[in-house]
Amino acid sequence: MTRLLLALAGVVLLAVTALAAVWLLGQLLTGLGLFIVGAAGVLGRLLWFLLITGVLAGVVYFVTSAWRPSVREPVRPLAPRPLKARAGRNAPEAGRAGTAVRSEPVRAEPVRVPPAPVQTTTPELSSEPVRAET
């Protein structure tokens, strides 16, 4: 009889353990399913955002390209005005408004700063306490 009761207890215990394992597996799969559904929702909203952003960026690019075309007429360089001759001479007028004045470029040289003098004091002659430098 004891063997029968132990076998019956073993079967019941095995059934309870199997039911607990199935329940735990169901909980894990439910959590995994919720994670997958949540990730799909987030990725779906991200896809909509990227699509809307791409369409709006394309519209902005199109409008700005139409407003300011990328191909422009070449800019003509400014032609210098011809120098006028002074009355009675063949020398050009220099320094007047609207005329060119030729000048030599100024050379820039580096500025040399002398090093600051180093003041040395001995601890014996100084009235300040001696500090350790770190």
Side-chain angles (χ1 to χ4, degrees), residues 62-81:
F62 176 76
V63 169
T64 55
S65 296
W67 188 265
R68 182 186 52 85
S70 60
V71 178
R72 299 182 184 177
E73 294 181 20
V75 179
R76 291 182 301 142
L78 181 63
R81 299 171 115 189

Side-chain angles (χ1 to χ4, degrees), residues 84-93:
K84 297 179 184 176
R86 287 188 186 176
R89 292 188 193 172
N90 289 333
E93 293 181 354

